[in-house]
Amino acid sequence: MIDLHFFVEIIPTLLSGLPLTLQLAGLSIAIGFALALLLALAQQGNHRMLVWPIRAFVAVFRGTPLLVQIFLIYYGLGQFRPTLQAVGLWWLFREPYWCAIIALSLNTAAYGSEILRGAIQGVPRGLVEAASAFGMTRIQTLRLVVLPLALRQAIPSYSNEIILMVKGTSLASIVTLMEVTGIAQGLISQTYRAVEVFVAAGAIYLTINFTIISALNALETWLTPYRVRA
Amino acid sequence: MKFNRLAAVAAALSMFGFMHTALAEDAPKAITIATEGAYAPWNFTNADGKLDGLEIDLANNLCERMKVKCTIIAQDWDGLIPALKVGKFDVIMAGMFITPKRLETIDFTQPYAIDPGGFAAAKDSDLGKLGASTEKFKMDDEAATKAAIDKLKPLLKGKVVGVQAATAMLEFVKKYFGDTVEIREYKTTEQHDLDLAAGRIDAIFAQKTALAATLAKPEFANFTVAGPGFVGGLFGAGTGAGLRKEDTKLKQMLNDAISAAIADGTIKSISEKWVKTDVTPVK
Amino acid sequence: MTDALHILSLGKGGWGGALLLAAGVTFALSILGFLLGAFFGAVAASGGLSPRAVPSWLAKAYGTVFRGVPDLLTIYLLYYGGSIALTEIGKLFGSAGFVGLPTFATGVLAIGIISGAYQAEVYRGAYLAVDPGQFEACKALGVARFHSLRLVIIPQLMRHALPGLGNVWQLVLKDSALISVIGLVELMRQSQIGAGSMREPFVFYLAAAALYFLIAAVTGSVFRYGETRAWRGMVHA
């Protein structure tokens, strides 16, 4: 059943979808991280007008499937073209590429903000007090003391989130984007050899994720030289 | 009510149980037929979750003629042939064209319908201004087809065209317009209809009867079927029932039933009920 | 708005009933998949904790593969590959025809395998969190190994595992939407069907989102209640 020759034949075709997969993952992880950091910081001050809408946003995006979010943003909002045109956003929602980026970014921002919020709260209070005793401003404390510690603390959880995002890009094929999974489906409709094609596509994702995990592990070890790993 | 509940229990049980599908050589007593369930008016799912449409009526009629117990299930379009091959079901009736390419992998009955493929676009677009035409081109006639395509090409230059993935429609647009338009592939025709209405794409290419059904809805008042229809060639002999190559006995039974349904006008009346025209294949 | 209410009504011509029924399928699919995953997860966790190389390596490979490959691909693979494998097994037992795995069972199996990979990590962590003194005390009291696991270790292990299991459950619930791609009419597919045939994608996907959110919220509070109960009588550090 396993035909090596066939694998060798389809892998270049599948890899032609890799740039799009990496683009979708990279852009949405970057946008999502920026947004997550903003949301996490905004929740540090306890302004109710700020905290409640953020909590609602996080709850909604964590409580519903990514697939539903993509469909809602792509096909759902497509129904409101006149309104979106009036507010000048149609160029964004017109393109499946941007709809996928928006859905993936918002999704990862919701999960990421919770990870970062926890990590920021985990920074010992004494350090913040010490920083202000040195005469650091709040911004300086944040930039030089709180964030470096919190971000390092967050690496293990955040790397899980990054893996979930790479996997999440496979849903973009549903809104006509031809990334690795989309190309895999096209190959199946031409060759009707589903098992081989999906195994090959799975191996590509596994390689991406393995590389990311190794890189982030190395980063964590590098940032915590004093911690001897068990 | 009581009957409904029993049926529900039976359906639930069959979800858990294993399905044994037909044996290759013997005359099957029960078969499973798969359709897409998202291709109105040929096959679609209505509000109570039941499958309905031309092919559902036809399938039931054929099964009655064959004296075989049939179960009709829905399956995503791009999974139909792979799933048939691994034995998820025995027959495909899903508006599937008998194309030369598919015949390499699976077998088909004789056609039970012939329906050309065509474009639909906004009425005020260059393509839409052509309006609907009853002209039909046989793609086996290369010269005539090329002339018709060359007339359409300038109207479509640089436009975005939506087609359903894994279809002969997609093969057509790739082959004849691949250098002219941007192609977007959709899982279902319903999805490219939504994007046509939303203005994300400029035109769609699909079976003419399906286009007509879509354009009859109020949201599509500003859209029209545009240009001629295409048959033959890439589209093969028409729409047929797909089955595994080894199921020769089943093929024989289905062919006899289709011949009978063509002869006594059943296909004509079912097609007039659902697609408002007669799609009976003419010999 | 009245349009939307009419489309989603429970009465004749409304899709409300179909959506609620599909939400029930989603719930059943998730629960059964989660339970199957608990079994796979427990087996993999014990493999991962084993001092021997082969079980520990197998457990690690299982976790890495199914947490690293998109769930969509795992589901497709089981759907197409599962039937081929079953047919081969069927041949061994003398069944000549095709043996198909129905979509619901495939869905449960897929969710079981995927969530098992995540649950294994949770169980492994929880096992390691149990005070080693508890094992020694059991041994000192002469409690049989099976009884000490059942009566002493597992109740404490669950205490540590519950928060993690709550997270996996939420993941499972959302993953169940992907089962729609193999044709099972659960909540996601039912809303796709509705969106396509009524051409009202916004209403249907919004309704689906609301139902998923509701199921997630209600079951989430069940997990929180379980956590409080598991920790009753204990003082939090």
Side-chain angles (χ1 to χ4, degrees), chain A residues 152-174:
Chain A
R152 190 179 69 195
Q153 199 62 37
I155 290 176
S157 315
Y158 218 98
S159 57
N160 275 337
E161 179 51 32
I162 289 174
I163 300 302
L164 285 175
M165 262 309 104
V166 172
K167 290 164 64 171
T169 59
S170 66
L171 301 184
S173 57
I174 283 157

Side-chain angles (χ1 to χ4, degrees), chain A residues 46-99:
Chain A
N46 285 314
H47 301 285
R48 222 182 269 174
M49 294 298 282
L50 212 57
V51 171
W52 280 98
I54 296 178
R55 291 268 162 87
F57 163 80
V58 170
V60 166
F61 275 84
R62 286 183 6 137
T64 54
L66 178 57
L67 188 61
V68 178
Q69 292 161 18
I70 291 180
F71 269 97
L72 198 56
I73 288 175
Y74 189 75
Y75 291 111
L77 292 185
Q79 252 180 293
F80 299 100
R81 180 185 176 183
T83 322
L84 288 168
Q85 264 172 334
V87 293
L89 283 174
W90 176 242
W91 62 272
L92 201 63
F93 288 96
R94 193 194 152 125
E95 295 303 321
Y97 181 79
W98 292 115
C99 285

Side-chain angles (χ1 to χ4, degrees), chain A residues 71 73-75 77-79 81 90 93-96 99 173-174 176 178 185 188-192 194, chain B residues 78 81-82 85 101-102 105 160 165-166 171 174 184-187 191-192 194-195 197-202:
Chain A
F71 269 97
I73 288 175
Y74 189 75
Y75 291 111
L77 292 185
Q79 252 180 293
R81 180 185 176 183
W90 176 242
F93 288 96
R94 193 194 152 125
E95 295 303 321
C99 285
S173 57
I174 283 157
T176 74
M178 283 305 184
Q185 282 164 342
I188 289 164
S189 67
Q190 282 164 31
T191 62
Y192 309 113
Chain B
D78 52 8
I81 293 179
K85 278 189 65 188
K101 206 178 135 246
R102 290 191 180 116
T105 312
V160 184
E171 298 294 313
K174 269 189 182 163
R184 293 236 180 110
E185 297 178 28
Y186 290 83
K187 293 244 155 214
Q191 290 176 349
H192 66 47
L194 286 171
D195 264 7
R200 282 201 183 102
I201 52 180
D202 303 302

Side-chain angles (χ1 to χ4, degrees), chain B residues 243-270:
Chain B
L243 28 75
R244 286 180 293 271
K245 283 187 171 168
E246 61 267 31
D247 290 346
T248 46
K249 177 75 196 164
L250 180 59
K251 181 182 174 184
Q252 185 63 49
M253 290 164 67
L254 277 165
N255 270 338
D256 292 346
I258 291 170
S259 294
I262 291 174
D264 69 4
T266 304
I267 291 192
K268 182 168 190 279
S269 65
I270 293 179

Side-chain angles (χ1 to χ4, degrees), chain A residues 198-211:
Chain A
F198 284 133
V199 167
I204 292 176
Y205 284 102
L206 213 52
T207 314
I208 304 176
N209 284 337
F210 190 75
T211 315

Side-chain angles (χ1 to χ4, degrees), chain C residues 52-124:
Chain C
R52 276 175 301 175
V54 175
S56 125
W57 188 86
L58 279 177
K60 206 169 171 190
Y62 167 64
T64 314
V65 168
F66 289 101
R67 287 186 303 157
V69 170
D71 305 344
L72 194 62
L73 287 182
T74 306
I75 291 163
Y76 276 128
L77 198 61
L78 277 171
Y79 183 61
Y80 296 114
S83 287
I84 296 171
L86 271 177
T87 307
E88 293 300 315
I89 295 169
K91 274 183 195 155
L92 287 182
F93 291 96
S95 151
F98 285 100
V99 184
L101 197 56
T103 48
F104 188 83
T106 311
V108 169
L109 188 64
I111 291 180
I113 289 177
I114 297 165
S115 81
Y118 288 92
Q119 292 192 49
E121 281 302 297
V122 174
Y123 294 132
R124 209 177 64 92

